[in-house]
Structures are given as structure tokens and as C-alpha cells.
Amino acid sequence: MTTIMPQNELTRKAIAWICEKQQDGQDGELNALIQEAAARFNLSPKDVEFLQRFYKDKQD
């Protein structure tokens, strides 16, 4: 049986996954990680924009 998760939970999981990849030293290009997370967690374009803003603000 498949469990349906609220969209914001998927975004949180994507952030955690990206952070994990960065800590493992697999941080390549951040945009590539965001795109991979979008595919892996089935994020909407709006969620991808949120992730891009989140990491841009985090770097500033």
C-alpha cells in the first residue's frame, strides 16, 4: 500500500537528502542536486523554485 505524503513533507525530505549528499562530499553542483531531488521526490516546479531560493538565501 502506498502512503501519500503532504507536499511540504516531500520538500523537507528533499532538503534533508541534499544536505546529506553535501555532507558526504558529493556536493557537485547544487543545481544538479536540486534537479535530482526534484525527480527523486516528485517535486512540483514551485517546490523546485523554493529549493533554489532556500539554498540561495542560505549561501548569502
Side-chain angles (χ1 to χ4, degrees):
M1 184 162 128
T2 304
T3 303
I4 298 174
M5 287 189 201
Q7 194 65 22
N8 59 356
E9 182 66 25
L10 293 175
T11 305
R12 275 185 251 168
K13 286 182 178 273
I15 291 171
W17 181 83
I18 291 169
C19 289
E20 180 182 313
K21 290 296 182 184
Q22 288 178 324
Q23 289 175 351
D24 288 346
Q26 301 175 7
D27 55 358
E29 185 180 330
L30 181 60
N31 196 36
L33 285 176
I34 290 173
Q35 293 304 318
E36 188 175 342
R40 180 178 295 265
F41 296 99
N42 196 27
L43 300 178
S44 71
K46 190 173 184 178
D47 293 322
V48 173
E49 287 179 28
F50 169 79
L51 288 176
Q52 290 169 336
R53 282 193 318 269
F54 176 80
Y55 281 102
K56 182 180 180 269
D57 292 344
K58 188 176 176 183
Q59 289 177 347
D60 291 342

PDB file of all heavy atoms in Angstrom, residues 30-44:
ATOM      1  N   LEU A  30      25.210  22.401  -6.983  1.00  0.00           N
ATOM      2  CA  LEU A  30      23.985  22.447  -6.189  1.00  0.00           C
ATOM      3  C   LEU A  30      22.745  22.324  -7.063  1.00  0.00           C
ATOM      4  O   LEU A  30      21.809  21.611  -6.720  1.00  0.00           O
ATOM      5  CB  LEU A  30      23.937  23.739  -5.366  1.00  0.00           C
ATOM      6  CG  LEU A  30      22.718  23.903  -4.475  1.00  0.00           C
ATOM      7  CD1 LEU A  30      22.629  22.778  -3.450  1.00  0.00           C
ATOM      8  CD2 LEU A  30      22.750  25.246  -3.784  1.00  0.00           C
ATOM      9  N   ASN A  31      22.762  22.977  -8.216  1.00  0.00           N
ATOM     10  CA  ASN A  31      21.592  22.922  -9.088  1.00  0.00           C
ATOM     11  C   ASN A  31      21.327  21.492  -9.568  1.00  0.00           C
ATOM     12  O   ASN A  31      20.179  21.076  -9.685  1.00  0.00           O
ATOM     13  CB  ASN A  31      21.764  23.867 -10.279  1.00  0.00           C
ATOM     14  CG  ASN A  31      20.450  24.138 -10.976  1.00  0.00           C
ATOM     15  OD1 ASN A  31      19.411  24.235 -10.331  1.00  0.00           O
ATOM     16  ND2 ASN A  31      20.496  24.258 -12.277  1.00  0.00           N
ATOM     17  N   ALA A  32      22.388  20.742  -9.806  1.00  0.00           N
ATOM     18  CA  ALA A  32      22.222  19.346 -10.225  1.00  0.00           C
ATOM     19  C   ALA A  32      21.613  18.526  -9.095  1.00  0.00           C
ATOM     20  O   ALA A  32      20.756  17.660  -9.343  1.00  0.00           O
ATOM     21  CB  ALA A  32      23.560  18.754 -10.647  1.00  0.00           C
ATOM     22  N   LEU A  33      22.039  18.786  -7.863  1.00  0.00           N
ATOM     23  CA  LEU A  33      21.452  18.083  -6.710  1.00  0.00           C
ATOM     24  C   LEU A  33      19.975  18.431  -6.562  1.00  0.00           C
ATOM     25  O   LEU A  33      19.153  17.562  -6.267  1.00  0.00           O
ATOM     26  CB  LEU A  33      22.191  18.440  -5.421  1.00  0.00           C
ATOM     27  CG  LEU A  33      23.565  17.807  -5.235  1.00  0.00           C
ATOM     28  CD1 LEU A  33      24.211  18.335  -3.962  1.00  0.00           C
ATOM     29  CD2 LEU A  33      23.460  16.301  -5.176  1.00  0.00           C
ATOM     30  N   ILE A  34      19.642  19.691  -6.774  1.00  0.00           N
ATOM     31  CA  ILE A  34      18.237  20.117  -6.670  1.00  0.00           C
ATOM     32  C   ILE A  34      17.401  19.410  -7.735  1.00  0.00           C
ATOM     33  O   ILE A  34      16.308  18.921  -7.447  1.00  0.00           O
ATOM     34  CB  ILE A  34      18.115  21.648  -6.773  1.00  0.00           C
ATOM     35  CG1 ILE A  34      18.701  22.300  -5.515  1.00  0.00           C
ATOM     36  CG2 ILE A  34      16.661  22.075  -6.977  1.00  0.00           C
ATOM     37  CD1 ILE A  34      18.798  23.812  -5.575  1.00  0.00           C
ATOM     38  N   GLN A  35      17.917  19.336  -8.953  1.00  0.00           N
ATOM     39  CA  GLN A  35      17.176  18.675 -10.027  1.00  0.00           C
ATOM     40  C   GLN A  35      17.020  17.181  -9.752  1.00  0.00           C
ATOM     41  O   GLN A  35      15.964  16.605 -10.010  1.00  0.00           O
ATOM     42  CB  GLN A  35      17.873  18.904 -11.380  1.00  0.00           C
ATOM     43  CG  GLN A  35      17.841  20.347 -11.826  1.00  0.00           C
ATOM     44  CD  GLN A  35      16.437  20.921 -11.907  1.00  0.00           C
ATOM     45  OE1 GLN A  35      15.507  20.276 -12.378  1.00  0.00           O
ATOM     46  NE2 GLN A  35      16.271  22.133 -11.420  1.00  0.00           N
ATOM     47  N   GLU A  36      18.064  16.564  -9.201  1.00  0.00           N
ATOM     48  CA  GLU A  36      17.970  15.139  -8.873  1.00  0.00           C
ATOM     49  C   GLU A  36      16.963  14.908  -7.746  1.00  0.00           C
ATOM     50  O   GLU A  36      16.182  13.957  -7.770  1.00  0.00           O
ATOM     51  CB  GLU A  36      19.339  14.595  -8.460  1.00  0.00           C
ATOM     52  CG  GLU A  36      19.332  13.102  -8.290  1.00  0.00           C
ATOM     53  CD  GLU A  36      20.699  12.519  -7.998  1.00  0.00           C
ATOM     54  OE1 GLU A  36      21.715  13.183  -8.252  1.00  0.00           O
ATOM     55  OE2 GLU A  36      20.724  11.380  -7.505  1.00  0.00           O
ATOM     56  N   ALA A  37      16.966  15.808  -6.758  1.00  0.00           N
ATOM     57  CA  ALA A  37      15.997  15.710  -5.657  1.00  0.00           C
ATOM     58  C   ALA A  37      14.574  15.895  -6.180  1.00  0.00           C
ATOM     59  O   ALA A  37      13.644  15.213  -5.730  1.00  0.00           O
ATOM     60  CB  ALA A  37      16.300  16.753  -4.579  1.00  0.00           C
ATOM     61  N   ALA A  38      14.402  16.791  -7.140  1.00  0.00           N
ATOM     62  CA  ALA A  38      13.076  17.021  -7.720  1.00  0.00           C
ATOM     63  C   ALA A  38      12.542  15.756  -8.368  1.00  0.00           C
ATOM     64  O   ALA A  38      11.367  15.414  -8.203  1.00  0.00           O
ATOM     65  CB  ALA A  38      13.140  18.154  -8.730  1.00  0.00           C
ATOM     66  N   ALA A  39      13.414  15.051  -9.079  1.00  0.00           N
ATOM     67  CA  ALA A  39      12.992  13.816  -9.728  1.00  0.00           C
ATOM     68  C   ALA A  39      12.774  12.714  -8.696  1.00  0.00           C
ATOM     69  O   ALA A  39      11.788  11.972  -8.763  1.00  0.00           O
ATOM     70  CB  ALA A  39      14.035  13.384 -10.747  1.00  0.00           C
ATOM     71  N   ARG A  40      13.680  12.612  -7.740  1.00  0.00           N
ATOM     72  CA  ARG A  40      13.614  11.556  -6.734  1.00  0.00           C
ATOM     73  C   ARG A  40      12.366  11.684  -5.845  1.00  0.00           C
ATOM     74  O   ARG A  40      11.740  10.686  -5.502  1.00  0.00           O
ATOM     75  CB  ARG A  40      14.870  11.610  -5.874  1.00  0.00           C
ATOM     76  CG  ARG A  40      14.943  10.575  -4.799  1.00  0.00           C
ATOM     77  CD  ARG A  40      16.253  10.698  -4.035  1.00  0.00           C
ATOM     78  NE  ARG A  40      17.399  10.409  -4.857  1.00  0.00           N
ATOM     79  CZ  ARG A  40      17.996   9.224  -4.925  1.00  0.00           C
ATOM     80  NH1 ARG A  40      17.554   8.227  -4.194  1.00  0.00           N
ATOM     81  NH2 ARG A  40      19.022   9.042  -5.703  1.00  0.00           N
ATOM     82  N   PHE A  41      12.006  12.915  -5.489  1.00  0.00           N
ATOM     83  CA  PHE A  41      10.886  13.137  -4.573  1.00  0.00           C
ATOM     84  C   PHE A  41       9.631  13.653  -5.277  1.00  0.00           C
ATOM     85  O   PHE A  41       8.676  14.058  -4.620  1.00  0.00           O
ATOM     86  CB  PHE A  41      11.302  14.102  -3.453  1.00  0.00           C
ATOM     87  CG  PHE A  41      12.388  13.522  -2.583  1.00  0.00           C
ATOM     88  CD1 PHE A  41      13.703  13.871  -2.770  1.00  0.00           C
ATOM     89  CD2 PHE A  41      12.077  12.591  -1.604  1.00  0.00           C
ATOM     90  CE1 PHE A  41      14.707  13.325  -1.985  1.00  0.00           C
ATOM     91  CE2 PHE A  41      13.065  12.041  -0.816  1.00  0.00           C
ATOM     92  CZ  PHE A  41      14.390  12.405  -1.004  1.00  0.00           C
ATOM     93  N   ASN A  42       9.642  13.658  -6.609  1.00  0.00           N
ATOM     94  CA  ASN A  42       8.480  14.051  -7.402  1.00  0.00           C
ATOM     95  C   ASN A  42       7.967  15.435  -7.000  1.00  0.00           C
ATOM     96  O   ASN A  42       6.787  15.617  -6.712  1.00  0.00           O
ATOM     97  CB  ASN A  42       7.364  12.996  -7.276  1.00  0.00           C
ATOM     98  CG  ASN A  42       6.321  13.143  -8.349  1.00  0.00           C
ATOM     99  OD1 ASN A  42       6.616  13.649  -9.427  1.00  0.00           O
ATOM    100  ND2 ASN A  42       5.110  12.713  -8.063  1.00  0.00           N
ATOM    101  N   LEU A  43       8.874  16.412  -6.998  1.00  0.00           N
ATOM    102  CA  LEU A  43       8.517  17.765  -6.589  1.00  0.00           C
ATOM    103  C   LEU A  43       7.944  18.547  -7.756  1.00  0.00           C
ATOM    104  O   LEU A  43       8.305  18.327  -8.910  1.00  0.00           O
ATOM    105  CB  LEU A  43       9.752  18.490  -6.050  1.00  0.00           C
ATOM    106  CG  LEU A  43      10.428  17.853  -4.844  1.00  0.00           C
ATOM    107  CD1 LEU A  43      11.662  18.657  -4.469  1.00  0.00           C
ATOM    108  CD2 LEU A  43       9.482  17.740  -3.669  1.00  0.00           C
ATOM    109  N   SER A  44       7.078  19.478  -7.435  1.00  0.00           N
ATOM    110  CA  SER A  44       6.492  20.343  -8.453  1.00  0.00           C
ATOM    111  C   SER A  44       7.494  21.442  -8.820  1.00  0.00           C
ATOM    112  O   SER A  44       8.440  21.701  -8.073  1.00  0.00           O
ATOM    113  CB  SER A  44       5.202  20.978  -7.920  1.00  0.00           C
ATOM    114  OG  SER A  44       5.513  21.943  -6.922  1.00  0.00           O
TER     115      SER A  44
END
